[in-house]
Amino acid sequence: MSWTIDDADKTYGVSKWGAGHFTINESGQLAVVPKREIPEQTIVIQDVIDEMLSQGVRFPVVIRFHDILRSQVKTINRTFNNIIDEADYEGHFYGVYPVKVNQMREVVEEIVEAGHRYNFGLEAGSKAELMSVLAYNTNKKALTVLNGYKDEDYLRLALLGRRLGRKIVVVVEKFSELVKLIELSKETGVEPIIGIRSRMTVKGRGKWESSGGEKAKFGLTISEIINAVELLKENKLLDCLKLFHFHIGSQITDIRAIKEAIAEGARIYCKLFQYGVNLEYFDVGGGLGVDYDGTASTNDSSINYKLDEYVADIVYGLKQVCDLEDVPHPNIITESGRALTAHHSCVITNIIGEIDTTSVNFDTKKITGESHLVSNIREVEEDLDKYENWQEVYNDAVKLKEDSLNAFKLGILSLVERAKIETIYWRILKKVAEIVSNKEFTFEQETELEEYLSGQYLCNFSIFQSAADSWAIDQILPVVPIDRLGQQPSKRCSLVDITCDSDGKMDKFIDYDEGIKKTIPVHQLDGNPYYLGIFLTGAYQDVMGDMHNLFGRLNEVHVYAHEGDPKGFYIEEVIRGSSAADVLSTMQYNPQYMAFTVKKAIDNQISRGLINPRDGVKLVDFYEDCLKSYTYLK
Ligand SMILES: *Cc1c(COP(=O)(O)O)cnc(C)c1O
């Protein structure tokens, strides 16, 4: 059976996690589908790489597909509008994008622009985010929702926004914020729009489930909410309370948690309305998940529902409770960040080498007087074909390797003998692995052996900068070769990055037959460049990265689809990643001073005759060039 593109798709799950935005073309290249409605229009990632290389942009690189971002904004708005129509729901949808998920200006601008016709707004969770939102969310019909803990300046900025005529909602997360807000409103004479975050008993499902529940960090209890209502009434500001909010956690894996949250939240909303609060908005927070591993399950990196199920559960769930309670249907707000941004960006890394300790070429020829341990393991190898039980071969080899290590520690085995034993040992294990992979044999340790023998591909990137959640919370991100998908991958590898941290590795991948594996199938390096893409990095990963080992921000290329173009796209912008001088400056170094000091030291050697002046000048230039250069490997 020969390998086909379908096999590649099954192996890497592209159509599973790709959400209609990724595909493998007939030449075995990974391609982006910028507009889901037009699946035949694609952008081949290798073409983007070629163009980027011709512009002198080096790896690793973030590629942003702005059309995907626009498409996601459109999709969520249309889905809500359609289901609202279909359900005869009387409220409107006013989504907001929480900028903390990806605060890059270009991302925020694109979302604001694509969302303008839907009056799609923004959400901020800190003072700095609020300042960006004040500058960018200028649509007076769109909402600005303010979450997070707030001090006086935060609240004053919100009131400033009100004076600009913006629909800014201050969501009270903590009772004392309300007291302060009432005070400031009196002082300035500006009426706020107030929201209240409710502490729900229902929890999300998945990694972030502690964002909900009684012990959550944010929100008011029911008794606090009633006290808040009374306080507002006393201060004649009850009409400012317009929004009911909850957020039960990000990446909700199980649709049942959403249903439960709507049921509970809708009931609180209605009871508050009946209590005399003229609420207008029902804000369900974030939590709409992304199927990173493509299994459509309740795995932490997956979700067991689709967007339209999520939307229908909100709209119909809310309608049902409101109708029963005879309360007008509120406008609906979601604060989805992950689902909007995850797909639009990816990280492309070049493989700069392979770490394989099992295939070292070493002469294992017999010599007189060698240790019997060497002779014994050699015999196992020579008699390999005579064995009937592969388990026995494996056990013998493992035992002999252990014995030889002990012998070495006792000083009765030489370095050369140890090297011979190890070389033969790996050869035996590989042979066993090859034979047992033929399904006629059952062999207990088959998967372990495969992983034990697998090598590592050394990737030019830092996991701490580009895939923080993969390191921190074992998030699975799809990894796929950019090209050669028409060829069957010939081996399995785990991936390591270029930081000097042994945690700097990726060794959790989804296998659609066997579940989670430590390795992924890759092609043999053949002297040509080999690129791997890490996908769905647009949410959180893009902006949470740190400066471990002083690897800074990546080069970025921003790509737009363009039908008239022969390759179907153009690079709208290139943003250079951090230079060594940039990252050193953030750590309080002064690169100019550093260059000066090194130059002085070189001058000193020149004057002592230890460096020739021409060489000295070159060394100074070289040091200065390196300061200006990209932090990653050339
Ligand atoms: C983080 C956060 C969001 C975004 O959640 P996603 O799951 O990424 O959509 C929304 N609302 C609040 C209050 C948040 O803290």
Side-chain angles (χ1 to χ4, degrees):
M1 258 192 332
S2 65
W3 175 264
T4 65
I5 300 299
D6 275 349
D7 295 320
D9 187 69
K10 269 187 210 121
T11 303
Y12 296 104
V14 175
S15 53
K16 295 199 171 96
W17 55 260
H21 280 299
F22 295 87
T23 186
I24 302 171
N25 73 10
E26 295 189 340
S27 323
Q29 296 175 305
L30 197 61
V32 164
V33 180
K35 296 172 186 132
R36 245 188 311 230
E37 321 81 80
I38 324 176
E40 55 292 349
Q41 190 185 327
T42 61
I43 300 173
V44 176
I45 296 179
Q46 183 63 50
D47 290 344
V48 178
I49 291 174
D50 291 342
E51 181 154 339
M52 158 205 130
L53 288 173
S54 75
Q55 294 186 21
V57 182
R58 292 191 347 229
F59 289 102
V61 66
V62 169
I63 307 182
R64 260 180 228 297
F65 293 96
H66 280 257
D67 300 275
I68 296 184
L69 206 47
R70 299 188 79 92
S71 169
Q72 297 293 77
V73 173
K74 205 159 116 183
T75 303
I76 192 168
N77 278 287
R78 285 196 172 172
T79 308
F80 264 103
N81 293 343
N82 290 342
I83 292 178
I84 280 175
D85 272 355
E86 171 199 294
D88 284 326
Y89 186 87
E90 282 147 22
H92 294 280
F93 175 64
Y94 290 103
V96 292
Y97 165 65
V99 297
K100 76 151 190 264
V101 181
N102 191 327
Q103 302 96 338
M104 289 286 299
R105 176 176 54 80
E106 288 87 346
V107 171
V108 173
E109 277 178 341
E110 198 70 62
I111 290 174
V112 167
E113 206 187 296
H116 190 268
R117 60 148 94 173
Y118 308 103
N119 296 319
F120 196 75
L122 295 176
E123 186 261 13
S126 68
K127 260 185 287 188
E129 287 183 0
L130 168 55
M131 283 184 262
S132 78
V133 164
L134 279 173
Y136 283 91
N137 191 19
T138 55
N139 178 356
K140 289 186 178 153
K141 290 190 194 147
L143 288 170
T144 297
V145 176
L146 304 183
N147 293 314
Y149 289 127
K150 303 161 196 78
D151 64 2
E152 187 174 326
D153 281 352
Y154 190 134
L155 295 170
R156 280 187 193 277
L157 282 166
L159 295 177
L160 182 158
R162 288 294 293 144
R163 297 173 89 165
L164 303 177
R166 311 273 177 77
K167 276 201 200 157
I168 296 197
V169 186
V170 177
V171 177
V172 174
E173 312 260 14
K174 203 163 154 278
F175 199 85
S176 57
E177 290 174 4
L178 184 64
V179 178
K180 192 81 208 169
L181 182 61
I182 292 173
E183 191 186 305
L184 291 175
S185 163
K186 292 215 163 130
E187 180 202 307
T188 56
V190 181
E191 277 205 352
I193 309 174
I194 303 174
I196 275 193
R197 176 161 178 175
S198 167
R199 203 171 272 268
M200 306 278 278
T201 51
V202 46
K203 289 183 175 189
R205 300 280 196 284
K207 286 272 178 196
W208 284 271
E209 63 182 34
S210 59
S211 310
E214 282 166 352
K215 286 285 172 218
K217 199 167 129 189
F218 296 108
L220 273 60
T221 61
I222 297 293
S223 46
E224 282 176 314
I225 293 176
I226 298 172
N227 286 344
V229 170
E230 295 303 329
L231 184 68
L232 284 165
K233 216 185 267 175
E234 273 165 39
N235 286 279
K236 306 211 162 31
L237 286 171
L238 187 56
D239 276 345
C240 296
L241 181 49
K242 292 284 177 215
L243 180 145
F244 175 78
H245 176 278
F246 60 84
H247 169 72
I248 60 168
S250 199
Q251 183 69 11
I252 298 172
T253 57
D254 189 347
I255 187 82
R256 281 180 307 173
I258 293 158
K259 289 181 203 279
E260 287 167 29
I262 299 300
E264 185 181 353
R267 205 58 81 165
I268 304 174
Y269 179 94
C270 290
K271 299 292 179 198
L272 278 173
F273 194 91
Q274 290 159 350
Y275 194 78
V277 189
N278 279 319
L279 290 167
E280 289 176 20
Y281 299 98
F282 186 85
D283 182 344
V284 305
L288 174 58
V290 167
D291 194 2
Y292 291 98
D293 72 12
T295 57
S297 70
T298 55
N299 287 354
D300 283 345
S301 299
S302 185
I303 50 173
N304 70 351
Y305 55 93
K306 294 257 183 288
L307 176 65
D308 38 5
E309 291 169 65
Y310 171 83
V311 174
D313 278 349
I314 294 173
V315 174
Y316 284 98
L318 198 49
K319 179 177 148 83
Q320 190 186 26
V321 178
C322 289
D323 289 350
L324 282 170
E325 297 276 358
D326 205 14
V327 164
H329 301 163
N331 294 315
I332 297 171
I333 299 171
T334 64
E335 302 173 351
S336 291
R338 185 186 295 277
L340 282 191
T341 54
H343 301 78
H344 92 281
S345 89
C346 58
V347 175
I348 313 286
T349 168
N350 53 330
I351 307 306
I352 47 184
E354 183 176 6
I355 302 164
D356 177 7
T357 46
T358 67
S359 347
V360 179
N361 226 341
F362 192 80
D363 185 358
T364 54
K365 205 164 55 232
K366 189 178 182 80
I367 52 164
T368 44
E370 72 178 3
S371 157
H372 70 281
L373 286 166
V374 185
S375 319
N376 289 356
I377 200 163
R378 187 183 294 105
E379 273 164 31
V380 174
E381 190 184 26
E382 281 165 3
D383 293 346
L384 213 57
D385 297 332
K386 293 185 201 144
Y387 277 87
E388 296 196 338
N389 184 344
W390 296 102
Q391 190 71 48
E392 202 184 324
V393 184
Y394 175 79
N395 294 348
D396 286 355
V398 170
K399 178 80 173 56
L400 282 162
K401 164 105 178 313
E402 264 171 33
D403 289 350
S404 70
L405 199 59
N406 287 331
F408 179 75
K409 284 190 215 153
L410 289 169
I412 49 180
L413 200 68
S414 74
L415 272 177
V416 171
E417 285 168 333
R418 185 175 156 183
K420 282 184 178 175
I421 289 172
E422 283 178 3
T423 307
I424 298 171
Y425 168 77
W426 290 121
R427 282 203 302 255
I428 295 173
L429 258 54
K430 281 184 178 173
K431 186 83 190 175
V432 172
E434 193 190 313
I435 291 165
V436 299
S437 71
N438 182 337
K439 295 288 179 215
E440 282 167 42
F441 300 93
T442 52
F443 183 71
E444 260 178 61
Q445 295 97 333
E446 185 176 339
T447 312
E448 286 146 46
L449 184 60
E450 181 186 80
E451 275 168 4
Y452 185 44
L453 290 171
S454 67
Q456 296 164 317
Y457 271 12
L458 182 56
C459 308
N460 191 12
F461 85 119
S462 154
I463 198 163
F464 306 95
Q465 173 63 243
S466 297
D469 281 343
S470 160
W471 163 69
I473 56 165
D474 279 339
Q475 164 92 61
I476 290 178
L477 294 168
V479 177
V480 188
I482 297 306
D483 206 345
R484 292 176 67 182
L485 293 164
Q487 301 163 27
Q488 180 163 14
S490 52
K491 57 179 177 185
R492 303 190 64 103
C493 261
S494 63
L495 307 178
V496 292
D497 73 3
I498 55 170
T499 65
C500 64
D501 194 315
S502 38
D503 257 4
K505 59 175 196 261
M506 265 180 140
D507 60 0
K508 236 182 139 189
F509 304 95
I510 197 81
D511 181 296
Y512 292 95
D513 293 325
E514 295 174 47
I516 290 172
K517 291 200 127 186
K518 289 193 170 149
T519 55
I520 61 165
V522 287
H523 302 90
Q524 184 71 45
L525 299 179
D526 61 3
N528 293 309
Y530 190 64
Y531 306 124
L532 288 177
I534 302 163
F535 293 91
L536 310 187
T537 56
Y540 301 101
Q541 314 313 302
D542 249 2
V543 291
M544 284 199 320
D546 65 30
M547 300 274 277
H548 196 20
N549 265 156
L550 296 187
F551 288 113
R553 293 216 37 105
L554 272 63
N555 286 330
E556 271 194 24
V557 293
H558 296 184
V559 172
Y560 281 85
H562 181 45
E563 259 178 277
D565 185 87
K567 303 258 178 206
F569 75 93
Y570 67 101
I571 292 180
E572 181 249 4
E573 188 177 25
V574 173
I575 301 176
R576 296 281 163 179
S578 315
S579 66
D582 292 337
V583 293
L584 286 161
S585 302
T586 65
M587 295 289 153
Q588 298 285 64
Y589 291 91
N590 180 340
Q592 265 173 319
Y593 174 78
M594 289 162 59
F596 171 75
T597 330
V598 170
K599 181 171 186 303
K600 234 170 68 178
I602 290 172
D603 285 348
N604 203 355
Q605 297 296 78
I606 293 173
S607 65
R608 293 167 65 195
L610 296 171
I611 294 181
N612 142 334
R614 279 180 197 280
D615 287 348
V617 171
K618 277 191 197 144
L619 289 173
V620 170
D621 285 350
F622 176 65
Y623 184 84
E624 288 177 356
D625 278 349
C626 286
L627 274 176
K628 284 183 218 140
S629 300
Y630 201 24
T631 50
Y632 293 87
L633 300 191
K634 264 192 187 163

